[in-house]
Amino acid sequence: MEVIKLNIERDFDKFLDLSAGVYVLLTGYLISARDQAHKRLVEDIKNNRNINFEIKNSFIYYMGPTPSKENQVIGSAGPTTSSRMDRFAPFLYDMGVRATIGKGKRSIEVVEAIKKNNGLYLITIGGAGAFLSKKIKESKVIMYEDLGPEAIRLLYVEDFPVIVAIDSKGDSIW
Amino acid sequence: MFFYFFIMSKYIDKYFLKEKIKEEICRIATELPQDIKDYFNNILGRTSGLSKKVIEILIENYKIAESERIPLCQDTGIVLFFIEIGKDVYIDFNIEDVLNQSVKEAYIECHLRKSVVKDPINRVNTRDNTPAIFYYKFNSESKGLTIKIMLKGAGSENTAVFKMFTPTSSWEDIEDFIIDVVKNKAINSCPPVIVGIGIGGTAEKAMLMAKEALFRNIGERNKIEFYRDKEIELIEKLNELDIGPMGVGGYPTVIDVFIETYASHIASLSVAVNFNCHSVRHTIINF
């Protein structure tokens, strides 16, 4: 099986050429956000409020971790079901989000948004939160701290495993 | 009479119960049951490509989780207790208060995710994962107290399905329904999944049977020959759906299929399906 290693910043152009079904080890910054954070984020963007990260070209990871212990970067940190974010995703792809990372299928609207914006949908391994936590080297809450596990985090990952589930042409592994 | 009762009854110590349940919650959040570990290792040779990669990561995941006590999955669930009270059990305290205290201490001290909101619409987090959900059974045939614990994640709960069939429906109609549910829903429940199926009874009885069936060990078949055969047939048919681990295609889609049944009204035929993700977090404790 082919394994491709990519750095989000350095190899940015190569992401457009990835086809569905490819296994990639990602290095770079991700933004973690799930249900309630999406609801607030979309409202805040629409109301021109301050957003503490660059939305353009960002990679959003649908994840809410367990609390970290002392000497841990982050607790268990696997993906949550992406379809719950389908109602927010087309708007965010339109705003410049490059990729989303989660688990499970997406709606037709999301596939269309991915095609239109040259985006990507990546899946990672649900139920592998302990394994994936080892790939996260930095974690910092940057927005909505009051949401606890649902707060928005800036993560730095190294060799974080993902599978291209929907590529920029809208082709999928399904 | 009083003296007889005192000698013959099983007295449950409140503190011991609280500590034991807390310890078990922390343990099962980070430790996969042996039958699931064996399952992954046994099927690895039957997988290839992406599905093999996913199973390899799941094996590595349970090893890291257990050795470093990191939760297997970040969704450490809502806690369900199935409490079976034997004929000799004597409890002189509020068992729900004690078990909720175990949940609270386990989720805080063992760094598990607090995933419970107090109200389904207003959604304010209780910050200690309480309250748990409780079911009781009085068993006059057995002795002692048995507590089954399940940490149920939402990924595998949000896909639960219930359907009322007409009583003249055939097994084939039910089978088509189950295959359809797995085809459409299993992908969001972290496959390979365990399929719990409750048939008969009333609406809530069917769903409860589907849920409790998930406590069975892998390979543990229904005692009624008809349903045992149906379980085996379903495992085969569902594994041909090619959904695969985390939906990447290939083998396996389901780990096992457990059917439970109960008598029903002449006009009813209820069928419930409840999945368990591959990250099985449950145990059975006898006091």
Side-chain angles (χ1 to χ4, degrees):
Chain A
M1 194 188 65
E2 195 190 0
V3 179
I4 301 174
K5 284 193 175 206
L6 289 177
N7 184 295
I8 293 173
E9 281 93 295
R10 216 174 38 232
D11 305 317
F12 197 76
D13 299 337
K14 293 183 185 156
F15 282 94
L16 286 180
D17 305 327
L18 294 175
S19 5
V22 171
Y23 182 76
V24 182
L25 296 176
L26 279 184
T27 295
Y29 285 98
L30 310 179
I31 300 292
S32 78
R34 43 174 290 154
D35 306 66
Q36 299 300 331
H38 269 75
K39 200 172 167 184
R40 275 204 214 171
L41 184 64
V42 168
E43 256 170 49
D44 285 350
I45 294 171
K46 285 182 177 165
N47 290 304
N48 290 316
R49 293 190 197 114
N50 189 40
I51 308 298
N52 291 346
F53 66 95
E54 186 65 54
I55 294 171
K56 200 168 161 49
N57 294 331
S58 60
F59 279 53
I60 292 186
Y61 181 24
Y62 300 143
M63 186 276 293
T66 59
S68 55
K69 292 185 212 164
E70 264 180 70
N71 309 321
Q72 264 181 350
V73 173
I74 198 164
S76 193
T80 195
T81 305
S82 305
S83 62
R84 295 197 315 273
M85 268 54 78
D86 281 358
R87 53 192 284 213
F88 307 108
F91 173 78
L92 290 171
Y93 278 111
D94 285 349
M95 293 304 296
V97 166
R98 178 65 49 184
T100 57
I101 308 171
K103 66 177 176 83
K105 290 187 182 177
R106 306 307 302 259
S107 67
I108 293 160
E109 291 76 15
V110 176
V111 178
E112 288 307 316
I114 288 171
K115 264 172 31 186
K116 180 173 136 200
N117 296 294
N118 271 322
L120 282 172
Y121 169 54
L122 312 168
I123 57 169
T124 186
I125 321 301
F131 173 85
L132 292 170
S133 76
K134 297 287 173 188
K135 309 294 173 192
I136 300 172
K137 305 299 175 184
E138 290 170 33
S139 165
K140 193 176 136 198
V141 172
I142 55 167
M143 283 178 86
Y144 314 141
E145 189 154 17
D146 60 297
L147 291 178
E150 296 204 60
I152 293 187
R153 287 171 168 78
L154 177 66
L155 310 172
Y156 184 77
V157 300
E158 273 174 22
D159 291 338
F160 186 90
V162 294
I163 296 157
V164 179
I166 303 172
D167 62 28
S168 57
K169 290 178 280 305
D171 293 331
S172 88
I173 58 170
W174 302 296
Chain B
M1 179 62 202
F2 178 77
F3 182 70
Y4 175 81
F5 176 75
F6 189 73
I7 297 290
M8 301 303 290
S9 69
K10 168 108 184 160
Y11 179 77
I12 304 295
D13 181 74
K14 188 162 118 178
Y15 182 76
F16 178 75
L17 175 71
K18 188 205 79 180
E19 286 298 305
K20 179 68 184 164
I21 298 296
K22 169 177 144 186
E23 207 176 278
E24 286 294 305
I25 290 171
C26 291
R27 186 182 66 78
I28 62 178
T30 55
E31 200 180 310
L32 213 54
Q34 192 58 44
D35 60 339
I36 306 290
K37 291 180 191 169
D38 292 344
Y39 171 81
F40 283 149
N41 289 298
N42 290 339
I43 57 129
L44 191 60
R46 285 183 63 180
T47 59
S48 62
L50 281 176
S51 60
K52 190 184 183 78
K53 189 77 215 166
V54 174
I55 299 294
E56 280 171 355
I57 288 178
L58 294 178
I59 291 172
E60 207 175 328
N61 185 65
Y62 83 65
K63 289 179 179 167
I64 293 171
E66 193 171 325
S67 66
E68 300 189 33
R69 291 292 160 199
I70 302 171
L72 286 153
C73 174
Q74 75 291 337
D75 185 354
T76 46
I78 187 166
V79 184
L80 287 103
F81 290 110
F82 289 81
I83 301 165
E84 203 171 312
I85 302 163
K87 61 181 172 185
D88 60 340
V89 174
Y90 178 61
I91 298 171
D92 66 349
F93 51 85
N94 184 328
I95 194 167
E96 294 191 7
D97 285 351
V98 172
L99 296 181
N100 274 327
Q101 187 62 27
S102 304
V103 171
K104 181 177 177 172
E105 291 178 15
Y107 276 73
I108 292 171
E109 291 171 28
C110 293
H111 299 85
L112 309 182
R113 199 179 76 188
K114 289 77 178 169
S115 311
V116 175
V117 293
K118 192 172 167 46
D119 179 279
I121 302 301
N122 296 319
R123 307 198 78 80
V124 177
N125 199 301
T126 62
R127 297 191 174 271
D128 58 14
N129 223 56
T130 65
I133 295 171
F134 300 90
Y135 296 105
Y136 299 91
K137 219 181 266 175
F138 289 94
N139 191 342
S140 56
E141 302 297 311
S142 74
K143 285 186 168 183
L145 176 71
T146 300
I147 297 182
K148 298 180 179 178
I149 314 174
M150 180 183 284
L151 314 185
K152 191 65 157 68
S156 66
E157 189 63 13
N158 291 352
T159 49
V161 178
F162 172 81
K163 187 176 177 181
M164 237 355 147
F165 283 78
T166 54
T168 50
S169 304
S170 64
W171 167 258
E172 284 67 33
D173 297 331
I174 294 170
E175 188 185 74
D176 287 348
F177 165 72
I178 293 165
I179 291 173
D180 242 35
V181 170
V182 174
K183 204 189 261 174
N184 297 322
K185 304 243 178 187
I187 190 167
N188 284 343
S189 299
C190 287
V193 294
I194 297 171
V195 187
I197 301 165
I199 305 174
T202 41
E204 87 294 345
K205 176 71 182 171
M207 191 56 85
L208 208 49
M209 288 192 291
K211 177 61 63 52
E212 212 174 343
L214 301 174
F215 278 104
R216 275 201 229 159
N217 288 318
I218 302 311
E220 194 182 331
R221 299 270 66 87
N222 190 302
K223 288 183 180 57
I224 303 165
E225 199 183 345
F226 178 81
Y227 294 109
R228 188 194 67 200
D229 293 347
K230 296 305 171 202
E231 286 175 349
I232 295 167
E233 281 172 34
L234 271 171
I235 294 167
E236 216 161 283
K237 287 181 182 169
L238 294 172
N239 272 326
E240 281 164 14
L241 290 177
D242 201 33
I243 294 166
M246 294 316 298
V248 300
Y251 174 85
T253 297
V254 301
I255 297 174
D256 212 334
V257 176
F258 300 133
I259 301 173
E260 292 291 333
T261 60
Y262 199 78
S264 78
H265 188 282
I266 50 168
S268 301
L269 205 182
S270 24
V271 180
V273 181
N274 199 289
F275 294 139
N276 207 118
C277 57
H278 57 69
S279 191
V280 175
R281 277 83 47 86
H282 65 220
T283 193
I284 301 174
I285 309 156
N286 294 303
F287 290 92

